[in-house]
Amino acid sequence: GVAANLENYLKYDSETIEDLMCNGLKIIQDKNAYRFAIDSVLLANFVKAKPKDRIIDLGTGSGVIALLLSAKTQAQEIVGLELEHEAAERAKRSVEMNGLKERVVIVEGDLKNATQIFGRENFSVVVSNPPYMRVEEGKISPDAAIAMARHEVTATLSDVVKAAAELLRFGGRFFMVYRTLRLADALWEMKNKALEPKTIRFIHPKTGSSPNLFLVMAQKGAGPGVEVLPPLVVYNDDGSYTEEILTIYGKVEN
Protein backbone atom coordinates (compact mmCIF):
# COMPACT_ATOMS: atom_id res chain seq x y z
CA GLY A 1 0.00 0.00 0.00
CA VAL A 2 0.91 3.65 -0.28
CA ALA A 3 2.70 5.04 2.74
CA ALA A 4 0.64 7.49 4.78
CA ASN A 5 3.29 10.19 4.95
CA LEU A 6 4.27 10.76 1.33
CA GLU A 7 6.55 13.69 2.18
CA ASN A 8 9.02 11.13 3.56
CA TYR A 9 9.78 10.19 -0.04
CA LEU A 10 10.89 13.69 -0.99
CA LYS A 11 14.61 14.40 -0.88
CA TYR A 12 14.95 17.97 -2.20
CA ASP A 13 13.03 21.20 -1.64
CA SER A 14 12.45 21.45 -5.41
CA GLU A 15 10.54 18.15 -5.45
CA THR A 16 6.76 17.82 -5.50
CA ILE A 17 4.33 14.91 -5.51
CA GLU A 18 1.89 14.93 -8.41
CA ASP A 19 -1.22 12.86 -8.94
CA LEU A 20 -1.11 10.77 -12.13
CA MET A 21 -4.94 10.58 -12.04
CA CYS A 22 -4.80 6.85 -12.64
CA ASN A 23 -5.60 4.28 -9.94
CA GLY A 24 -4.37 6.66 -7.25
CA LEU A 25 -0.81 6.66 -8.60
CA LYS A 26 1.47 9.48 -7.54
CA ILE A 27 4.84 10.56 -8.96
CA ILE A 28 7.72 12.62 -7.63
CA GLN A 29 8.68 15.47 -9.96
CA ASP A 30 11.48 18.00 -9.60
CA LYS A 31 10.77 21.61 -10.56
CA ASN A 32 14.33 21.99 -11.84
CA ALA A 33 14.39 18.78 -13.88
CA TYR A 34 12.73 17.52 -17.05
CA ARG A 35 9.04 16.98 -16.34
CA PHE A 36 7.02 14.36 -18.17
CA ALA A 37 4.47 15.58 -20.70
CA ILE A 38 1.26 14.29 -22.25
CA ASP A 39 3.18 12.26 -24.85
CA SER A 40 4.31 9.81 -22.14
CA VAL A 41 0.73 9.44 -20.89
CA LEU A 42 -0.54 8.80 -24.44
CA LEU A 43 2.20 6.24 -25.04
CA ALA A 44 1.40 4.37 -21.82
CA ASN A 45 -2.23 4.27 -22.88
CA PHE A 46 -1.30 2.94 -26.34
CA VAL A 47 0.67 -0.02 -24.96
CA LYS A 48 -1.08 -3.38 -24.88
CA ALA A 49 0.37 -6.06 -22.62
CA LYS A 50 -0.77 -9.29 -20.97
CA PRO A 51 -0.05 -10.58 -17.46
CA LYS A 52 2.83 -12.78 -18.68
CA ASP A 53 4.50 -9.97 -20.62
CA ARG A 54 7.85 -8.70 -19.42
CA ILE A 55 8.07 -4.97 -20.20
CA ILE A 56 11.04 -2.59 -20.35
CA ASP A 57 10.78 1.19 -20.72
CA LEU A 58 13.96 2.62 -22.27
CA GLY A 59 14.85 6.02 -20.85
CA THR A 60 12.14 5.95 -18.21
CA GLY A 61 13.08 9.35 -16.74
CA SER A 62 11.09 9.89 -13.55
CA GLY A 63 9.34 6.57 -14.18
CA VAL A 64 6.00 7.90 -15.42
CA ILE A 65 5.47 5.26 -18.13
CA ALA A 66 6.57 2.38 -15.92
CA LEU A 67 4.19 3.55 -13.18
CA LEU A 68 1.25 4.02 -15.56
CA LEU A 69 1.83 0.60 -17.14
CA SER A 70 1.50 -0.97 -13.70
CA ALA A 71 -2.09 0.32 -13.67
CA LYS A 72 -2.98 0.09 -17.36
CA THR A 73 -1.67 -3.46 -17.90
CA GLN A 74 -1.63 -6.68 -15.91
CA ALA A 75 2.08 -7.25 -16.64
CA GLN A 76 3.79 -8.61 -13.56
CA GLU A 77 7.27 -7.38 -14.43
CA ILE A 78 8.02 -3.85 -15.60
CA VAL A 79 11.56 -2.51 -15.83
CA GLY A 80 12.46 1.16 -16.24
CA LEU A 81 15.98 1.86 -17.52
CA GLU A 82 17.38 5.36 -16.98
CA LEU A 83 20.89 6.73 -17.46
CA GLU A 84 20.60 9.98 -15.51
CA HIS A 85 21.30 9.28 -11.83
CA GLU A 86 18.96 11.84 -10.24
CA ALA A 87 16.01 10.82 -12.43
CA ALA A 88 16.59 7.11 -11.81
CA GLU A 89 16.84 7.71 -8.09
CA ARG A 90 13.64 9.80 -8.13
CA ALA A 91 11.86 7.06 -10.09
CA LYS A 92 12.91 4.46 -7.50
CA ARG A 93 11.39 6.56 -4.73
CA SER A 94 8.16 6.94 -6.73
CA VAL A 95 7.95 3.16 -7.16
CA GLU A 96 8.39 2.68 -3.39
CA MET A 97 5.92 5.44 -2.58
CA ASN A 98 3.26 3.68 -4.70
CA GLY A 99 3.99 0.30 -3.12
CA LEU A 100 4.96 -1.20 -6.50
CA LYS A 101 8.37 -2.73 -5.70
CA GLU A 102 7.04 -6.22 -6.45
CA ARG A 103 6.23 -5.30 -10.06
CA VAL A 104 8.27 -2.27 -11.11
CA VAL A 105 12.07 -2.18 -11.04
CA ILE A 106 14.10 0.91 -11.91
CA VAL A 107 17.61 0.22 -13.20
CA GLU A 108 20.23 2.93 -13.59
CA GLY A 109 22.12 2.33 -16.82
CA ASP A 110 22.70 3.23 -20.46
CA LEU A 111 20.24 1.84 -23.01
CA LYS A 112 23.23 1.40 -25.36
CA ASN A 113 24.41 -1.27 -22.88
CA ALA A 114 20.95 -2.76 -22.38
CA THR A 115 21.87 -6.20 -23.68
CA GLN A 116 24.90 -6.37 -21.37
CA ILE A 117 22.60 -5.53 -18.46
CA PHE A 118 19.59 -7.69 -19.33
CA GLY A 119 20.77 -10.18 -21.96
CA ARG A 120 19.30 -10.60 -25.42
CA GLU A 121 15.66 -11.34 -26.18
CA ASN A 122 14.49 -11.31 -22.58
CA PHE A 123 11.48 -9.00 -23.02
CA SER A 124 8.18 -9.36 -24.87
CA VAL A 125 7.35 -5.63 -24.80
CA VAL A 126 9.72 -2.66 -25.16
CA VAL A 127 8.43 0.89 -24.70
CA SER A 128 10.22 4.20 -25.29
CA ASN A 129 9.59 7.92 -25.44
CA PRO A 130 13.02 8.86 -26.79
CA PRO A 131 14.53 12.34 -27.15
CA TYR A 132 12.98 13.96 -30.24
CA MET A 133 15.67 16.47 -31.24
CA ARG A 134 18.85 15.81 -33.15
CA VAL A 135 21.87 17.43 -31.51
CA GLU A 136 22.30 19.90 -34.38
CA GLU A 137 18.78 21.33 -34.09
CA GLY A 138 17.25 23.60 -31.48
CA LYS A 139 18.94 25.05 -28.43
CA ILE A 140 20.34 22.37 -26.14
CA SER A 141 19.51 22.99 -22.50
CA PRO A 142 22.52 23.91 -20.32
CA ASP A 143 21.00 21.52 -17.77
CA ALA A 144 22.47 18.09 -18.60
CA ALA A 145 19.46 16.10 -17.45
CA ILE A 146 17.00 18.20 -19.46
CA ALA A 147 19.32 18.12 -22.48
CA MET A 148 19.42 14.29 -22.29
CA ALA A 149 15.64 14.05 -22.20
CA ARG A 150 15.06 16.38 -25.16
CA HIS A 151 18.10 15.99 -27.42
CA GLU A 152 19.97 12.93 -28.68
CA VAL A 153 22.95 13.78 -26.49
CA THR A 154 23.32 10.30 -25.00
CA ALA A 155 21.06 8.17 -27.22
CA THR A 156 19.91 8.55 -30.80
CA LEU A 157 16.77 7.15 -32.40
CA SER A 158 18.99 4.47 -33.93
CA ASP A 159 20.37 3.52 -30.49
CA VAL A 160 16.86 3.19 -29.08
CA VAL A 161 15.58 1.02 -31.94
CA LYS A 162 18.70 -1.16 -31.88
CA ALA A 163 18.30 -1.74 -28.14
CA ALA A 164 14.61 -2.58 -28.60
CA ALA A 165 15.40 -5.06 -31.37
CA GLU A 166 18.03 -6.82 -29.27
CA LEU A 167 15.94 -6.92 -26.08
CA LEU A 168 12.78 -8.25 -27.76
CA ARG A 169 12.14 -11.92 -28.26
CA PHE A 170 10.72 -13.02 -31.62
CA GLY A 171 7.15 -11.76 -31.99
CA GLY A 172 7.69 -9.19 -29.25
CA ARG A 173 6.35 -5.66 -29.67
CA PHE A 174 7.99 -2.25 -29.57
CA PHE A 175 5.84 0.79 -28.69
CA MET A 176 7.15 4.31 -29.24
CA VAL A 177 5.98 7.93 -29.44
CA TYR A 178 7.92 10.22 -31.73
CA ARG A 179 7.54 13.37 -33.77
CA THR A 180 6.14 13.27 -37.28
CA LEU A 181 9.03 15.31 -38.68
CA ARG A 182 11.11 12.14 -38.27
CA LEU A 183 8.46 9.59 -39.28
CA ALA A 184 10.48 8.30 -42.25
CA ASP A 185 13.61 7.93 -40.11
CA ALA A 186 11.72 6.04 -37.44
CA LEU A 187 10.07 3.57 -39.81
CA TRP A 188 13.34 3.02 -41.67
CA GLU A 189 15.26 2.37 -38.46
CA MET A 190 12.65 -0.16 -37.33
CA LYS A 191 12.45 -2.04 -40.63
CA ASN A 192 16.24 -2.04 -40.75
CA LYS A 193 16.24 -4.00 -37.45
CA ALA A 194 13.44 -6.44 -38.38
CA LEU A 195 10.94 -4.53 -36.26
CA GLU A 196 7.96 -4.33 -38.60
CA PRO A 197 5.68 -1.31 -38.04
CA LYS A 198 2.16 -2.75 -37.61
CA THR A 199 0.10 0.06 -36.06
CA ILE A 200 0.47 3.84 -36.31
CA ARG A 201 -1.68 6.51 -34.73
CA PHE A 202 -1.11 10.19 -35.41
CA ILE A 203 -1.52 12.74 -32.61
CA HIS A 204 -3.03 16.08 -33.68
CA PRO A 205 -3.03 19.14 -31.40
CA LYS A 206 -6.47 20.12 -32.79
CA THR A 207 -8.95 18.91 -35.40
CA GLY A 208 -7.88 20.23 -38.78
CA SER A 209 -4.25 20.71 -37.72
CA SER A 210 -1.42 18.50 -38.96
CA PRO A 211 -0.20 15.84 -36.55
CA ASN A 212 3.01 16.68 -34.67
CA LEU A 213 3.53 13.31 -32.96
CA PHE A 214 2.74 9.69 -33.71
CA LEU A 215 2.41 6.45 -31.77
CA VAL A 216 3.78 3.32 -33.40
CA MET A 217 3.79 -0.38 -32.56
CA ALA A 218 6.32 -2.53 -34.41
CA GLN A 219 6.58 -6.30 -34.07
CA LYS A 220 9.80 -8.27 -34.23
CA GLY A 221 9.85 -10.62 -37.18
CA ALA A 222 6.31 -9.83 -38.35
CA GLY A 223 5.28 -9.64 -42.01
CA PRO A 224 4.65 -6.29 -43.67
CA GLY A 225 1.33 -4.46 -43.49
CA VAL A 226 0.58 -1.45 -41.35
CA GLU A 227 -2.74 -0.25 -39.94
CA VAL A 228 -3.20 3.49 -39.45
CA LEU A 229 -5.69 4.10 -36.65
CA PRO A 230 -8.07 7.08 -36.52
CA PRO A 231 -6.32 10.27 -35.38
CA LEU A 232 -5.94 11.15 -31.71
CA VAL A 233 -6.88 14.80 -31.18
CA VAL A 234 -5.64 16.44 -27.98
CA TYR A 235 -7.49 19.79 -27.76
CA ASN A 236 -10.91 21.07 -28.69
CA ASP A 237 -11.03 24.43 -30.50
CA ASP A 238 -11.62 26.19 -27.18
CA GLY A 239 -8.38 24.78 -25.75
CA SER A 240 -10.03 22.18 -23.49
CA TYR A 241 -9.03 18.51 -23.67
CA THR A 242 -11.08 16.29 -25.99
CA GLU A 243 -13.27 13.52 -24.60
CA GLU A 244 -10.71 10.87 -25.52
CA ILE A 245 -7.89 12.67 -23.70
CA LEU A 246 -10.10 13.11 -20.63
CA THR A 247 -10.86 9.39 -20.72
CA ILE A 248 -7.15 8.58 -20.95
CA TYR A 249 -6.45 10.88 -18.02
CA GLY A 250 -9.22 9.15 -16.10
CA LYS A 251 -11.24 12.32 -15.53
CA VAL A 252 -14.45 10.92 -17.00
CA GLU A 253 -15.95 7.50 -16.55
CA ASN A 254 -15.12 5.13 -19.40
Side-chain angles (χ1 to χ4, degrees):
V2 177
N5 194 0
L6 298 180
E7 272 67 44
N8 292 343
Y9 290 96
L10 298 181
K11 196 169 152 189
Y12 303 105
D13 291 343
S14 54
E15 289 182 340
T16 56
I17 294 170
E18 295 186 18
D19 190 345
L20 284 175
M21 294 176 289
C22 176
N23 287 27
L25 288 170
K26 308 264 192 293
I27 191 168
I28 299 167
Q29 294 281 278
D30 191 318
K31 290 199 272 284
N32 303 331
Y34 181 79
R35 302 163 71 75
F36 75 88
I38 192 169
D39 53 356
S40 289
V41 178
L42 298 182
L43 176 59
N45 202 67
F46 181 66
V47 173
K48 302 279 182 284
K50 301 186 175 72
K52 292 219 168 1
D53 277 318
R54 188 167 186 236
I55 304 177
I56 185 165
D57 177 28
L58 300 176
T60 197
S62 53
V64 58
I65 291 172
L67 292 171
L68 286 171
L69 290 178
S70 76
K72 292 184 180 288
T73 76
Q74 298 291 305
Q76 288 310 297
E77 192 171 359
I78 301 164
V79 176
L81 180 64
E82 175 53 45
L83 177 60
E84 207 266 311
H85 173 71
E86 295 292 339
E89 196 274 325
R90 203 159 46 242
K92 285 177 185 173
R93 284 183 283 131
S94 288
V95 168
E96 275 185 49
M97 180 174 74
N98 286 288
L100 287 168
K101 282 175 80 173
E102 304 298 307
R103 286 178 68 201
V104 182
V105 181
I106 304 296
V107 176
E108 190 178 325
D110 190 336
L111 65 85
K112 293 200 283 279
N113 304 333
T115 45
Q116 283 96 294
I117 303 170
F118 302 103
R120 296 178 79 89
E121 305 192 356
N122 272 324
F123 293 89
S124 51
V125 173
V126 175
V127 183
S128 189
N129 179 359
Y132 294 153
M133 311 277 272
R134 298 199 314 277
V135 169
E136 61 269 26
E137 64 179 320
K139 189 170 158 295
I140 296 184
S141 172
D143 182 287
I146 292 176
M148 282 163 64
R150 289 198 185 135
H151 279 82
E152 298 184 324
V153 184
T154 54
T156 64
L157 171 63
S158 182
D159 294 329
V160 173
V161 174
K162 180 175 185 282
E166 291 174 354
L167 292 167
L168 279 174
R169 52 183 73 123
F170 188 81
R173 288 159 304 150
F174 175 46
F175 295 88
M176 182 174 81
V177 62
Y178 212 57
R179 58 183 189 143
T180 50
L181 191 66
R182 299 185 67 188
L183 174 66
D185 294 346
L187 300 184
W188 186 86
E189 292 285 358
M190 289 178 204
K191 284 189 78 96
N192 197 30
K193 295 279 189 292
L195 294 177
E196 187 64 36
K198 298 305 295 176
T199 312
I200 295 176
R201 189 170 194 197
F202 290 99
I203 300 170
H204 299 247
K206 288 184 172 178
T207 304
S209 68
S210 297
N212 57 348
L213 298 171
F214 65 96
L215 297 159
V216 58
M217 184 276 281
Q219 191 167 21
K220 186 170 179 175
V226 63
E227 179 188 12
V228 177
L229 299 174
L232 174 51
V233 180
V234 178
Y235 297 106
N236 293 312
D237 289 340
D238 64 3
S240 60
Y241 280 140
T242 58
E243 281 295 307
E244 184 170 11
I245 296 295
L246 290 174
T247 306
I248 288 169
Y249 267 122
K251 288 192 190 132
V252 290
E253 293 306 310
N254 294 11

